[in-house]
Amino acid sequence: MQAHDGMYIDGAWRPAAGPGTIEVTNPADGSLIATVPAGDADDVAAAVAAARAAFPAWSTTPPSERAARLGALHAALEARREEIAETVTAELGSPIGFSHAVHAAVPVAVCAGYAELAAGYAFEEKIGNSRVFHEPVGVVGAITPWNYPLHQIVAKVAPALAAGCTVVLKPAEDTPLVAQLFAEAVHEAGVPAGVFNLVTGLGPVAGQALAEHEDVDLVSFTGSTAVGRRIGAAAGGAVKNVALELGGKSANVILPGADLARAVKVGVANVMANSGQTCSAWTRMLVDAAHYDEAVRLAAAAVAKYVPGDPADEKTRVGPVVNAKQRDRVSGYIARGVEDGAELVAGGPDAPEGFERGCYVRPTVFAGVTPDMAIAQEEIFGPVLSILKYEDAEDALRIANGTVYGLAGAVWSEDEEEAVAFARRLETGQVDINGGRFNPMAPFGGYKQSGVGRELGKYGLGEYLQTKSLQL
Ligand code: NAP
Ligand code: MG
């Protein structure tokens, strides 16, 4: 695949400061698909300087003009949907159908949403004798993961630009190609030089330099709780704004009387999508004792349809995980589940037959999982579902809320009001009721250790604004 041998800084592709490189591989077969430069602290410093220099003009550009640039960015991404899908499939390994439907379509929709929001947002309001202005926070350092690589970029960059902030992006080392493609689209959209800058590189080098740079006003991070915790601590020490989108261990609560077949089928699909590499995945299915055995049987039947395959094939529903380290981590968790006494209903720790070469994991379902097991507490980030039994609604609530995380969840009931009432008691940022579909304008973010702050829609825009009140 085509890759730029440089950093996108101040409106142009520039040579990296150092000689380091990142090899981008296809996890389906381990083949090398491209090499990109690994930036260091000097590249980060150059990018932050460009973003700082661009800030005065961009922050005072009328919102309608910023909206017009976002509209042009939307058009540029829309025109490249095919290329986006192919790139994400190559570097992440997600099935091409899913790459089209989600990895390409969702960021295009989010970008369109922000073009509209920027044009109509009330950047000024009146409160009593005060005029309150919502002003851009400044230079944003955005650090993104590989699991929804373009969505996570757009969910930060689009609202930042809408707000009038300027940005330096450090994307995940596994998925730098779609980030370079995004930089090309920004360039085509006529976004002024320095407003958006891209530094590819390694987390502990370029990522850390960006998070700790004194001229960055806000760090927006999506990724693991371990790294997020450190970024939050550093930002706190420097009295910087910080937004953290971290892990999850979300519960799919099926209440007695719900459409069990549908709840289980959608629940299994939710976990298997993107090979389970979704922070909001419903990785714990909670079923009452009377329906438990039937749910396990339905889950086993549903997961049998997820046959590992070549992600480039339109018919494939589950591909590899992103890299060998993740494969080993996920299969380690599967082995741990067996050791801890959970019952393997489907899958297992070994690679699927015929796929020993790529980074494949067998789609796995565990029954007989108890809330204290590691597979019921820790984020696995692979195609692994744990089914737990509950006694009554209070027990279900206790189990659902019994992890350090609180990102997402689902509730199924024949009575929508009962489901809503139950969802209100869940310690989590978003809950899908009876299969309610993803809304790219609804606030997305975590309770508890799943994060700080919200992304998407007007709440996502608000993260990039600070208020000033003038008393008249
Ligand atoms: P990660 O290390 O947290 O990576 C996320 C981003 O942070 C990447 O751009 C990474 O760069 C960067 N980074 C890493 N160390 C950093 C540091 N010290 N300072 C600043 N930036 C740093 O996550 P991962 O290792 O790819 O995945 C590990 C686990 O995290 C997964 O198994 C999963 O449980 C969780 N995860 C969650 C999400 C989510 O959406 N909530 C997304 C991804 C992963 P590099 O790419 O160079 O490491
Ligand atoms: Mg890779």
Side-chain angles (χ1 to χ4, degrees), residues 61-75:
T61 296
S64 59
E65 170 57 18
R66 298 203 300 260
R69 289 306 110 227
L70 285 168
L73 177 58
H74 166 251

Side-chain angles (χ1 to χ4, degrees), residues 144 146 170 172-173 203 207 221 224 246 279 326 329 379 381:
T144 54
W146 41 262
K170 202 304 278 180
E173 64 186 84
F221 170 83
S224 63
L246 308 176
C279 47
Q326 283 297 120
R329 182 188 145 95
E379 185 174 54
F381 234 57

Side-chain angles (χ1 to χ4, degrees), residues 23-27 33 90-92 173-175 322-323:
E23 293 193 336
V24 188
T25 57
N26 184 334
I33 50 181
E91 60 185 353
L92 174 64
E173 64 186 84
D174 287 296
T175 54
V322 66
N323 58 36

Side-chain angles (χ1 to χ4, degrees), residues 303-356:
V303 79
K305 302 213 170 77
Y306 291 85
V307 180
D310 175 2
D313 185 339
E314 293 282 352
K315 292 188 294 294
T316 296
R317 293 176 78 181
V318 61
V321 297
V322 66
N323 58 36
K325 189 172 149 220
Q326 283 297 120
R327 178 195 58 207
D328 296 346
R329 182 188 145 95
V330 175
S331 52
Y333 268 112
I334 298 173
R336 177 77 191 274
V338 173
E339 261 167 49
D340 288 349
E343 178 202 338
L344 207 46
V345 174
D350 301 326
E353 238 167 88
F355 291 95
E356 290 79 8

Side-chain angles (χ1 to χ4, degrees), residues 26-112:
N26 184 334
D29 59 8
S31 61
L32 178 69
I33 50 181
T35 301
V36 301
D40 60 21
D42 291 336
D43 297 292
V44 168
V48 172
R52 176 56 61 195
F55 181 69
W58 183 248
S59 60
T60 51
T61 296
S64 59
E65 170 57 18
R66 298 203 300 260
R69 289 306 110 227
L70 285 168
L73 177 58
H74 166 251
L77 292 172
E78 174 73 51
R80 286 166 172 255
R81 273 169 84 138
E82 192 71 38
E83 207 186 327
I84 292 167
E86 281 167 11
T87 303
V88 175
T89 287
E91 60 185 353
L92 174 64
S94 70
I96 188 72
F98 190 78
S99 293
H100 277 289
V102 176
H103 291 299
V106 173
V108 167
V110 170
C111 194

